[in-house]
Every structure is written in structure tokens, then in C-alpha cells.
């Protein structure tokens, strides 16, 4: 069936010196369709994929009769994964992007670890207790607003034995015939006590680029934990990424691709963080701390410092560079990002703005930071230039918010 978001309310709030208008539209059915959802803008059209793989499309995104209407697109996404796993995991599908007339969808998928299960066949039913292999995967289909037939495009070549929410799995358009993909550490520096984020032969805890034509993969950076936001700025040739820390230590990181070095950039996780390991029993904590020690300084230990970190954590999510929404200083480089969180305090469940400015080394440094509390878990966002507004997806109750500037 098609999807309609009905008008709920409008609020005016202050963010720093500016007033913003927040209009919300909700559809409670999304609670039954895998609460989380991701957004993608293609020209003026908006695509939405729910956590359980339903895809919707809003042509020339706008509000009519106090409603946001979207049409379901027929796909085979649910046929490509195990149905028992889909019902158990609820939200395996993570993100969607459109590039070069192709649609890419990412997910955390499941299979049996054939090395541990000698009787493995593809039709063995899902069993959370035995010989599991969890991994990040990407499907691709030709662009259509009617029907899309997806096929497998990329599969993480490592088996993660435990299900964990720190999977990353966020997509971004990149230069030429390439896309970007974040892969979280899958709890490597948790119950597994394996420092995969610092291992160049393992894809956990990495940001990679994938060639659209031949599927070739290259690691661009490592030392990540759970990257829930990524933005490529083609003008500056930089990648901005956001990631969840452990207990504290969420980060915003910048990868300056203009630097000539082919070295994999290292952002420290697995060996450095401004957060702490979650407390547990003494024997287990010692094992995790040995595998993944936490040093506070990044730069003193030869890792790249975040442009900003958060203690306590805010559960940071999507990030976008946008200089036109609020214009304060022509020298500012402005990014916006959102957050989830279990409360609406200390920057959680909020819409954030950071102004950066180039220093003498032509690197971006922090000028100021401000935010407005929205009060809902914000999973994704995008900016639509034609309406000069941000569009947010909020997952507590299947809500879309439109944020526009009042003054």
C-alpha cells in the first residue's frame, strides 16, 4: 500500500540567534514496518526505505492538504534474505542511495558460518544460537519508480559471529564510478575482544570505496566503531563521518583526500577513544582492555584527532555540509548533524549545527556549536535546496520533520 504522513504539529524554536520552524508529519504504520528508515534525495524526489525493506517514493516532495504522500515501489528485497532472520532482526536494511541510474541498498545480513557448520546449506533455517555469520552487504538495482529487481553487489568478506548494532552500513555517493560504505566494528572491541578496526586485513571498523563497474574495494580509513553518518564534499574533496563511541566518545572525523599519501587514514578506535569500555565483570573487562586499550589522546598515539567529540555520547547520526541554510560568515564551513539517544538531554535527540573555518594549514577547525532539541530519535536527514529545508526521519513514532528558517 502507499504511505501517507499526516500533519501533527508545528513548533518554533531557537537555535542560537536564529528561529527555526519544525513541522512534523507521522504515520504509525512505520512502527510495524521496522521503525528505522533512511532517506535519499534524487533531484526533487524523495525515496524512503524502512528497516524491513519496504521502499517508497515521493515525487516532487512537498506537503499537500497537510499530508506527505508516497507511493510504494515493488521490489524483491525481502526475497534476497532469510525470512526468519528478517522477522528476528526487524530492521536489517540500513540505507539507500541513487547514483548513475542505479539504486544501492545496504543491510546487515546473515548466513551460517560454513567453516563451523559442515552441514551448511543455504536453506538451513535461521537459528540465533548456532554458528552464525553476520556481515554487511549491498544490493543494486536499475533505477525505477515502478518496480526494481535487486541483485547482490557487495558482500563483506568477514564473518562476525555475534549480532551487534555497531554495524555502520551507511552509503554515500563518491567521485567517478565509486560509492562509499561504512562498516562498523560489530562489537569487535566488546564481547569478541578482537581489535579488528586496527587490522588492515579485516573490513570491520572501516570506511571503504567500491567501484560500481567491477566491485573492486579499497579501504580509505580504519579505526572506526559505528559510523552512522557520512558525507562526501566534492568541492573540498573531503569525507566527513560521524560515529558512535563506546560509553562516551562519539566523534566527527574528516578525511582530507587531497593529501597525496595512499596510506589508510587511522582514526584510532580499537586503541584510542575519549569514551570508556562499558563496565562488565573484572575478568571480561581485562580481556577487552588488553585487546582494545583506550588511550585518550589520538594525536600523541599517531591517530587522527576528531574535529569534535562528545562526552557523554549523543548517539550521533547523519551529517551534511550546507552553507546556504543559515549564512553567518562567508569564511565558515557549516555542517549539520542529528542524534538519537535514550533521552532528550545534553544534545541527544537533537538537530545540531557546527561552524568550521580553515586554519593556517588549510585544515578545518571548530568555531562554534549549537543545537536545538527535537525530542525524538533522528535516524536520517537530507537538505532540499528547492524548499530551503531539512527533512528528518524520526524513528520513535514514524515521523518526518521539516525544518525551515524563520528569520
Amino acid at each position: 500500500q502507499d504511505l501517507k504522513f499526516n500533519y501533527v504539529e508545528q513548533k518554533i524554536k531557537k537555535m542560537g540567534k536564529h528561529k527555526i520552524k519544525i513541522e512534523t508529519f507521522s504515520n504509525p504504520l512505520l512502527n510495524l514496518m521496522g521503525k528505522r528508515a533512511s532517506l535519499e534525495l534524487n533531484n526533487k524526489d524523495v525515496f524512503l526505505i524502512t528497516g524491513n525493506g519496504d521502499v517508497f517514493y515521493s515525487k516532487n516532495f512537498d506537503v499537500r492538504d497537510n499530508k506527505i504522500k508516497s507511493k510504494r515501489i515493488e521490489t524483491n528485497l525481502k526475497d534476497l534474505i532469510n525470512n526468519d532472520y528478517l522477522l528476528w532482526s526487524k530492521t536489517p536494511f540500513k540505507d539507500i542511495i541513487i547514483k548513475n541510474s542505479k539504486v544501492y541498498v545496504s543491510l546487515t545480513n546473515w548466513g551460517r558460518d560454513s567453516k563451523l557448520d559442515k552441514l551448511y546449506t543455504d536453506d538451513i533455517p535461521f537459528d540465533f544460537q548456532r554458528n552464525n555469520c553476520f556481515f554487511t552487504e549491498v544490493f543494486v538495482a536499475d533505477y525505477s519508480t515502478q518496480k526494481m529487481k535487486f541483485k547482490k553487489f557487495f558482500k563483506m568478506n568477514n564473518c562476525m559471529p555475534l549480532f551487534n548494532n555497531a554495524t555502520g552500513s551507511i552509503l554515500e555517493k563518491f567521485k567517478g564510478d565509486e560509492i562509499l560504505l561504512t562498516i562498523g566494528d560489530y562489537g569487535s572491541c566488546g564481547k569478541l575482544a578482537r581489535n579488528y578496526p586496527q587490522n588492515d586485513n579485516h573490513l570491520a571498523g572501516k570506511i571503504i570505496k567500491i567501484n560500481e563497474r567491477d566491485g573492486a574495494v579499497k579501504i580509505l580509513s580504519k579505526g572506526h566503531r559505528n559510523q552512522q553518518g557520512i558525507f562526501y564534499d566534492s568541492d573540498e574533496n573531503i569525507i566527513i563521518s560521524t560515529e558512535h563511541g563506546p560509553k562516551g566518545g562519539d566523534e566527527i572525523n574528516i578525511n582530507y583526500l587531497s593529501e597525496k599519501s595512499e596510506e589508510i587514514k587511522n582514526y584510532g578506535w580499537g586503541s584510542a577513544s575519549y569514551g570508556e569500555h562499558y563496565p562488565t565483570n573484572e575478568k571480561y573487562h581485562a580481556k577487552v582492555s588488553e585487546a582494545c586499550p583506550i588511550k585518550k589522546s589520538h594525536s600523541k598515539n599517531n591517530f587522527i584527532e576528531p574535529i569534535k567529540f562528545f562526552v557523554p555520547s549523543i548517539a550521533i547520526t547523519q551529517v551534511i555540509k550546507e552553507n546556504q541554510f543559515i549564512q553567518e560568515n562567508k569564511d565558515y564551513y557549516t555542517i549539520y548533524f542529528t542524534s538519537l539517544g535514550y533521552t532528550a538531554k545534553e544534545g541527544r535527540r537533537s538537530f545540531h549545527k557546527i561552524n568550521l573555518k580553515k586554519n593556517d594549514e588549510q585544515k578545518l577547525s571548530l568555531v562554534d556549536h549549537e543545537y536545538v532539541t527535537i525530542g525524538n530519535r533522528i535516524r536520517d536527514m537530507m537538505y532540499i535546496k528547492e524548499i530551503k529545508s531539512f527533512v528528518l526521519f524520526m524513528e520513535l513514532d514514524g515521523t518526518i520533520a521539516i525544518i525551515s528558517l524563520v528569520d
Side-chain angles (χ1 to χ4, degrees), residues 11-22 323-329 332 334 336 351 353-355 368-373 403-407:
K11 293 181 178 179
I12 304 294
K13 292 193 173 187
K14 289 205 70 174
M15 187 166 71
K17 297 179 292 184
H18 302 276
K19 289 182 180 179
I20 61 173
K21 179 172 67 174
I22 306 165
N323 283 348
Q324 301 304 311
F325 182 64
I326 295 176
Q327 301 179 47
E328 294 175 312
N329 185 313
Y332 284 176
T334 305
Y336 296 84
F351 176 72
K353 176 173 77 74
I354 281 184
N355 285 320
D368 57 37
H369 168 218
E370 54 196 27
Y371 66 88
V372 59
T373 300
I403 294 182
S404 53
L405 189 64
V406 175
D407 63 336

Side-chain angles (χ1 to χ4, degrees), residues 218-376:
K218 182 178 180 180
I219 297 173
L220 296 181
S221 59
K222 63 182 181 180
H224 300 287
R225 185 176 179 272
N226 184 16
Q227 319 92 300
Q228 287 297 304
I230 185 168
F231 179 83
Y232 173 61
D233 181 354
S234 58
D235 294 332
E236 296 288 336
N237 197 24
I238 61 175
I239 296 170
I240 307 170
S241 62
T242 61
E243 65 184 83
H244 294 186
K247 186 181 180 184
D250 288 9
E251 295 180 356
I252 303 174
N253 290 303
I254 297 179
N255 186 345
Y256 295 90
L257 299 170
S258 56
E259 296 174 354
K260 295 180 181 179
S261 173
E262 289 294 312
E263 179 185 6
I264 297 171
K265 307 291 178 58
N266 194 339
Y267 293 86
W269 173 244
S271 298
S273 174
Y274 289 105
E276 302 289 346
H277 289 303
Y278 284 102
T280 183
N281 67 69
E282 187 174 333
K283 181 178 179 181
Y284 173 66
H285 185 76
K287 184 179 179 181
V288 172
S289 297
E290 181 181 1
C292 302
I294 289 186
K295 302 166 185 174
K296 290 305 167 196
S297 172
H298 290 55
S299 57
K300 290 180 180 178
N301 293 286
N302 298 315
F303 304 120
I304 299 172
E305 290 282 355
I307 198 73
K308 184 172 178 59
F309 63 89
F310 299 85
V311 177
S313 293
I314 63 171
I316 193 167
T317 47
Q318 189 55 283
V319 60
I320 294 174
K321 171 232 177 177
E322 180 49 58
N323 283 348
Q324 301 304 311
F325 182 64
I326 295 176
Q327 301 179 47
E328 294 175 312
N329 185 313
K330 63 180 178 61
D331 294 327
Y332 284 176
Y333 183 101
T334 305
I335 63 174
Y336 296 84
F337 57 94
T338 49
S339 59
L340 299 166
Y342 55 90
T343 69
K345 298 178 180 179
E346 300 181 285
R348 305 181 190 100
R349 299 186 181 182
S350 298
F351 176 72
H352 296 250
K353 176 173 77 74
I354 281 184
N355 285 320
L356 305 169
K357 189 176 181 180
K358 287 185 179 179
N359 57 28
D360 293 340
E361 298 175 346
Q362 296 301 297
K363 297 291 182 67
L364 293 167
S365 58
L366 181 66
V367 176
D368 57 37
H369 168 218
E370 54 196 27
Y371 66 88
V372 59
T373 300
I374 304 296
N376 204 322

Side-chain angles (χ1 to χ4, degrees), residues 31-36 51-53 78 81-94 107-112 125-135 160-167 186 191:
N31 287 332
L32 305 174
M33 301 168 72
K35 287 185 178 180
R36 72 175 285 161
N52 69 350
K78 296 180 185 181
I81 67 173
N82 181 281
N83 187 60
D84 291 332
Y85 167 66
L86 174 61
L87 294 173
W88 175 82
S89 63
K90 295 185 175 64
T91 59
F93 291 93
K94 306 303 181 186
L107 68 154
T108 303
N109 211 346
W110 166 88
R112 287 266 180 244
F126 173 74
D127 180 354
F128 179 59
Q129 303 298 323
R130 296 182 60 241
N131 303 328
N132 288 301
C133 175
F134 297 100
F135 51 89
M160 306 306 291
L162 299 177
F163 183 84
N164 188 282
N165 286 324
T167 64
Y186 277 79
K191 291 182 179 180

